[in-house]
Amino acid sequence: MKFTSTADYVATDDLTLAVNAAVTLERPLLVKGEPGTGKTELARQVAASLDLPILEWHIKSTTRAQQGLYEYDAVSRLRDSQLGDERVHDIGNYIKKGKLWQAFEAEGRVVLLIDEIDKADIEFPNDLLQELDRMEFHVYETGETVRAQHRPIVIITSNNEKELPDAFLRRCFFHYIRFPDADTMRKIVEVHHPGIKDALLTTALTQFYELRETPGLKKKPSTSEVLDWLKLLLAEDLGPEDLKLEGTNALPKLHGALLKNEQDVHLFERLAFMARRQR
């Protein structure tokens, strides 16, 4: 089973190598990178490339590791016992299986996405160490041990909002998705906007990369944002001549797709003001 680029996803050679290395080593693949560089989509495309089902566990600040295993609803069982419900005699009726349990008991191999693990509490990764290592866990309420019938391909994403514990990192194969260079970005754009005119694409990408490299920019626009921007340019039927920054205008056309806070908009307005004063 070898992962390659798909019709909908351009994977660089080093990313392809990282995915296949993690699969061979049977270790979780930890993927970091700027928001919008395709980390979550990578897991979906790995599943598509290998023709496997995918289970997605999206982590929030309130998510606990136990929820990935199972949750026992003691409150519902108590209520049912008071009402004389027959379901109360089978404790399994009150156990909700988590994403890890579903992955472990799947009839075949699956891709398990643990998305944005750095959003959770700092202890969250450590609480999953044993389960991801041994591929099993114990259900205390029923006394059973759940073991993986087929070891899932685990892909974990992080936006680097907080450091992950060393013990957790040792168990992962790590890859950082670098921001695409211009040539790779062209390939990505061609996947999403096939047939886009070369002159428009060249002008737009030149402007985009210049914007990204502007000193003082608080939030650099991502891959997903440049794709949205190009979609708007195509929808408005704009040509390369329409993108030229002239006179007092230092902001790109439809800049709301690229600049996502007022500080960055004000930065470009100040740059335009300074440019005018120097004339």
Side-chain angles (χ1 to χ4, degrees):
M1 301 175 72
K2 292 289 185 181
F3 166 68
T4 59
S5 294
T6 69
D8 301 318
Y9 192 88
V10 176
T12 58
D13 291 341
D14 57 342
L15 177 56
T16 302
L17 184 64
V19 172
N20 290 320
V23 172
T24 300
L25 293 172
E26 296 187 331
R27 289 188 177 274
L29 174 63
L30 174 61
V31 184
K32 291 186 178 182
E34 291 182 30
T37 50
K39 300 184 297 296
T40 301
E41 187 61 25
L42 170 66
R44 296 167 183 156
Q45 296 303 323
V46 168
S49 174
L50 302 180
D51 195 23
L52 297 175
I54 184 171
L55 293 170
E56 300 186 15
W57 185 17
H58 299 284
I59 307 303
K60 301 177 182 178
S61 59
T62 55
T63 304
R64 295 176 292 106
Q66 180 65 31
Q67 292 172 302
L69 308 178
Y70 68 93
E71 291 183 276
Y72 170 53
D73 191 351
V75 174
S76 292
R77 192 181 187 204
L78 175 61
R79 183 189 64 236
D80 288 349
S81 67
Q82 293 170 338
L83 297 173
D85 195 318
E86 288 297 318
R87 296 175 71 253
V88 76
H89 299 299
D90 182 1
I91 197 170
N93 291 325
Y94 304 94
I95 291 179
K96 179 183 178 182
K97 297 177 181 179
K99 296 297 183 182
L100 264 74
W101 190 332
Q102 295 174 39
F104 286 3
E105 70 173 6
E107 293 182 359
R109 201 173 198 186
V110 302
V111 174
L112 173 62
L113 167 65
I114 303 177
D115 196 31
E116 297 189 329
I117 195 171
D118 53 323
K119 279 188 175 180
D121 184 84
I122 189 61
E123 291 302 320
F124 180 92
N126 280 336
D127 291 343
L128 287 178
L129 282 181
Q130 181 170 312
E131 288 75 19
L132 291 176
D133 221 14
R134 298 184 180 179
M135 286 288 148
E136 67 176 39
F137 62 90
H138 186 70
V139 183
Y140 296 98
E141 288 77 8
T142 63
E144 66 179 307
T145 297
V146 178
R147 293 185 178 87
Q149 298 183 42
H150 305 275
R151 194 177 190 97
I153 296 172
V154 181
I155 297 178
I156 303 169
T157 72
S158 169
N159 286 327
N160 235 358
E161 291 183 9
K162 63 169 69 82
E163 289 296 322
L164 299 174
D166 288 345
F168 179 79
L169 294 174
R170 281 198 302 272
R171 289 165 169 81
C172 297
F173 190 93
F174 172 76
H175 182 74
Y176 183 84
I177 297 182
R178 300 182 186 279
F179 194 82
D181 59 26
D183 289 339
T184 304
M185 186 65 81
R186 280 179 170 273
K187 295 176 184 176
I188 294 171
V189 171
E190 185 61 34
V191 166
H192 293 270
H193 303 297
I196 186 171
K197 292 181 180 179
D198 186 67
L200 173 62
L201 180 56
T202 298
T203 303
L205 288 186
T206 298
Q207 199 170 108
F208 169 72
Y209 279 99
E210 287 177 353
L211 185 150
R212 259 187 68 88
E213 298 307 315
T214 301
L217 201 63
K218 184 176 181 180
K219 184 197 175 301
K220 294 183 177 182
S222 67
T223 305
S224 62
E225 287 160 343
V226 72
L227 292 175
D228 286 345
W229 184 51
L230 287 168
K231 183 177 181 179
L232 289 173
L233 297 181
L234 291 170
E236 294 293 326
D237 197 24
L238 298 178
E241 64 282 353
D242 298 313
L243 300 185
K244 291 180 181 178
L245 303 178
E246 297 177 345
T248 61
N249 181 23
L251 288 167
K253 293 276 187 179
L254 301 165
H255 63 268
L258 299 174
L259 302 176
K260 297 304 176 73
N261 59 66
E262 63 278 13
Q263 293 97 320
D264 289 342
V265 173
H266 292 160
L267 170 64
F268 278 86
E269 290 173 344
R270 287 197 302 274
L271 291 174
F273 176 73
M274 291 170 63
R276 290 197 302 271
R277 289 190 62 181
Q278 291 172 359
R279 289 175 183 171

